[in-house]
Amino acid sequence: MTPPPEPIAAAAALAAASSGAGSESSRRPVWSDEGDAHDGDDGDDGGDDSDGGKSDKNEWVEIIKTVAIALFIAILLRIFLFQPFTIPSASMEPNLYEGDYIVVSKWTYGYSKHAIPYSPPLFEGRIMDNAPERGDIAVFKLPSDNKTDYIKRVIGVPGDRVQMINNVLHINGEPVENVVVTGEQVADMFNGQTVTTLRETLPNGRSYQIQDFGPNYSLDNTPVFEVPEGYYFMMGDNRDNSIDSREQSAMGVGLVPAENLIGKAEMILFSWNEGASLWNPVSWFSKVRLDRFFTVLK
């Protein structure tokens, strides 16, 4: 007997449908946590939770990496190129005032362990050593503790003989030329004494202003200081208000080893009068000294 056509057609349609479903099932993509992104439309929340957690974790990893790279670059710049310093005292007036923020070049004199934060004992001496010149304003570590940052002017280099006689600087037996620029009354800690500003010119031609309160101060007359190889003689520009290489006791600076040099002061970036505070934005404007911004140091 010949079977009726309807059941055969129905069976064929059922078989075709079953075959198509099996074929589509075999072509369905397999979602994984290894990189394929799930759009979540099929209602499977498991894939979304897993991928979202990994995405957040990767985002935090990237943030940490970015911060670490930025810190690394900042440290490299600080070690090899520039370092900022704040002036905390009047010892370098009239050229540097308390509240000045300066930039120091690190490569000018080469590098020692003191170029690195906290001065780790990684090596001795200096790398790419370049001697400072008379008249440079230099930042260095105080020799007595190798920790405290000091700033003074280089007055004596190796081989020099330095002496103060009657308030006049002598180098190698010759008085250093100085010319009075101004004289004015000062009414603060000096009890109304007259301060004199002079222009001093070193034997190499470097010229700069110094500040003096007259004769008969403790460091106006000194013995002869002979500067040995590998050391420098430093003095503050505010001659009667500076503890420097003229003071050889434990309370003074003494001669400064070349290894203790950090860098050369190049420029005043910005400056505020006493009383300015980071936490008081009003003082940023009321205490600012605009005329000292971007002043190149001599």
Side-chain angles (χ1 to χ4, degrees):
M1 276 181 75
T2 301
E6 291 82 0
I8 293 177
L14 182 62
S18 175
S19 172
S23 174
E24 185 175 343
S25 177
S26 67
R27 293 193 301 269
R28 178 173 298 182
V30 179
W31 305 107
S32 76
D33 292 332
E34 305 304 321
D36 291 328
H38 188 242
D39 60 10
D41 287 343
D42 65 352
D44 185 355
D45 293 334
D48 279 344
D49 290 342
S50 174
D51 286 345
K54 290 205 170 191
S55 177
D56 290 342
K57 181 179 179 181
N58 289 339
E59 184 175 347
W60 276 107
V61 168
E62 289 302 316
I63 291 173
I64 293 171
K65 284 169 61 178
T66 301
V67 171
I69 291 171
L71 287 174
F72 180 70
I73 293 173
I75 291 172
L76 287 181
L77 290 175
R78 185 184 185 278
I79 292 174
F80 294 107
L81 297 180
F82 297 103
Q83 184 173 347
F85 286 90
T86 305
I87 303 302
S89 74
S91 71
M92 286 297 292
E93 291 183 2
N95 299 299
L96 289 172
Y97 284 84
E98 184 176 353
D100 286 347
Y101 289 77
I102 66 171
V103 170
V104 170
S105 62
K106 303 295 285 290
W107 72 87
T108 306
Y109 303 143
Y111 307 95
S112 72
K113 64 183 179 182
H114 296 300
I116 306 171
Y118 306 109
S119 304
L122 300 179
F123 58 93
E124 297 296 325
R126 302 192 70 84
I127 298 173
M128 301 172 62
D129 185 27
N130 188 23
E133 298 180 359
R134 287 194 199 95
D136 286 358
I137 299 176
V139 174
F140 56 92
K141 293 292 185 183
L142 183 65
S144 61
D145 65 11
N146 289 320
K147 294 179 181 179
T148 308
D149 295 319
Y150 263 54
I151 183 166
K152 304 291 179 187
R153 193 178 294 275
V154 179
I155 295 298
V157 298
D160 281 348
R161 291 175 291 110
V162 180
Q163 185 179 18
M164 293 292 295
I165 302 175
N166 295 327
N167 206 28
V168 176
L169 173 64
H170 289 64
I171 297 179
N172 297 325
E174 296 294 329
V176 170
E177 177 187 347
N178 60 57
V179 178
V180 174
V181 177
T182 62
E184 58 184 350
Q185 290 292 119
V186 179
D188 53 11
M189 62 180 290
F190 298 101
N191 301 317
Q193 296 185 40
T194 299
V195 59
T196 302
T197 301
L198 305 99
R199 177 161 295 280
E200 190 170 78
T201 303
L202 296 175
N204 63 351
R206 294 287 292 275
S207 182
Y208 49 87
Q209 291 188 352
I210 63 170
Q211 188 166 284
D212 190 86
F213 288 85
N216 302 320
Y217 279 79
S218 59
L219 298 176
D220 285 342
N221 288 279
T222 69
V224 176
F225 300 103
E226 296 187 0
V227 185
E229 191 66 32
Y231 286 82
Y232 295 91
F233 192 94
M234 307 290 193
M235 291 178 66
D237 291 341
N238 193 353
R239 291 294 165 79
D240 294 320
N241 189 26
S242 173
I243 300 299
D244 48 43
S245 292
R246 293 172 293 175
E247 181 57 71
Q248 298 283 306
S249 70
M251 300 298 294
V253 172
L255 296 174
V256 177
E259 185 179 47
N260 285 45
L261 295 173
I262 295 175
K264 179 184 177 184
E266 301 283 1
M267 176 185 290
I268 301 170
L269 275 184
F270 40 86
S271 180
W272 278 275
N273 284 305
E274 184 179 357
S277 171
L278 179 65
W279 311 113
N280 181 10
V282 175
S283 70
W284 301 351
F285 304 96
S286 63
K287 301 293 185 179
V288 69
R289 294 188 288 222
L290 287 174
D291 59 319
R292 299 188 64 76
F293 279 40
F294 307 112
T295 300
V296 177
L297 295 172
K298 297 180 181 179

